[in-house]
Amino acid sequence: MKNIAIYPGTFDPITFGHIDVIKKALKLVDRLIVGISDGNQKNFLFPIDERVKIVQRAIYNDLKFKKKCIKIITFDSLTTDLCKKYKSNIILRGLRAVSDFEYEFQLAGMNRKLNNKIETIFLMSNLENQIISSRFVKEIAQHKGDLKKFTTKSTIKSLKNIYA
């Protein structure tokens, strides 16, 4: 039986923090579903179809991950429903700081109430990437700052196209 995990997020845009979580996840599971949510957040920088392309370019082109190990999809449902669809009993969540933990802990508890067969696994990005957030990356891009330490080349190009 293959271990399949769901890594949900908005990825607006993907950062090296997200990528650290993906790399660590691939050491634990056979297949990773990166679920890009178009949920109830209102101010996305990139529309959902563009976020999918950005994540695909970052994962498959910039970082050369194998498509057989990582599937990138969109969703607008409960994450537990996504688990059911892909026969996964693992939700992966990234933690950057202690401030993330309270929200993530509550979310894991709610997901557990929705489906008690699903486990949430928290993974931390490497120390040098724990400070990175999509929000800060967008702000740096908006002010024409150097993004090389925060995200991939293709993602930087997409950000520069927005803030040109």
Side-chain angles (χ1 to χ4, degrees):
M1 181 175 169
K2 284 190 170 192
N3 280 329
I4 300 168
I6 306 293
Y7 180 30
T10 58
F11 303 97
D12 187 40
I14 191 167
T15 70
F16 284 145
H18 295 123
I19 291 163
D20 276 351
V21 170
I22 290 169
K23 286 177 181 177
K24 289 175 182 190
L26 290 174
K27 293 177 185 177
L28 303 172
V29 300
D30 302 304
R31 184 135 167 91
L32 182 64
I33 310 294
V34 176
I36 303 174
S37 172
D38 202 24
N40 42 359
Q41 190 174 348
K42 40 207 162 301
N43 295 321
F44 290 117
L45 179 62
F46 295 101
I48 188 81
D49 57 327
E50 185 62 21
R51 282 185 277 143
V52 168
K53 290 175 189 168
I54 290 168
V55 172
Q56 287 173 336
R57 286 190 299 262
I59 297 296
Y60 302 136
N61 299 350
D62 295 342
L63 300 168
K64 310 289 187 221
F65 284 108
K66 293 181 174 75
K67 289 183 181 181
K68 69 177 183 155
C69 298
I70 302 173
K71 181 178 181 81
I72 300 163
I73 54 105
T74 63
F75 75 105
D76 63 357
S77 64
L78 293 171
T79 306
T80 53
D81 291 342
L82 197 63
C83 288
K84 187 176 182 179
K85 178 178 180 179
Y86 287 96
K87 297 177 176 53
S88 170
N89 63 349
I90 302 168
I91 297 172
L92 294 175
R93 299 296 295 174
L95 290 176
R96 288 189 317 257
V98 175
S99 58
D100 290 343
F101 185 74
E102 186 175 349
Y103 170 77
E104 294 295 342
F105 182 79
Q106 289 175 333
L107 186 60
M110 293 301 286
N111 285 330
R112 184 85 174 164
K113 283 276 194 193
L114 289 167
N115 184 334
N116 65 7
K117 292 179 177 69
I118 295 173
E119 294 293 339
T120 299
I121 298 175
F122 299 106
L123 295 173
M124 295 185 70
S125 57
N126 292 335
L127 191 58
E128 66 271 12
N129 293 322
Q130 287 178 8
I131 58 163
I132 302 172
S133 72
S134 294
R135 183 182 58 167
F136 290 148
V137 168
K138 289 183 275 195
E139 194 170 321
I140 292 166
Q142 184 177 13
H143 295 289
K144 313 282 188 266
D146 186 357
L147 293 166
K148 284 184 237 143
K149 294 179 183 175
F150 306 109
T151 192
T152 67
K153 286 182 181 182
S154 65
T155 305
I156 292 170
K157 186 176 179 184
S158 296
L159 285 160
K160 285 184 177 180
N161 288 340
I162 292 274
Y163 293 114

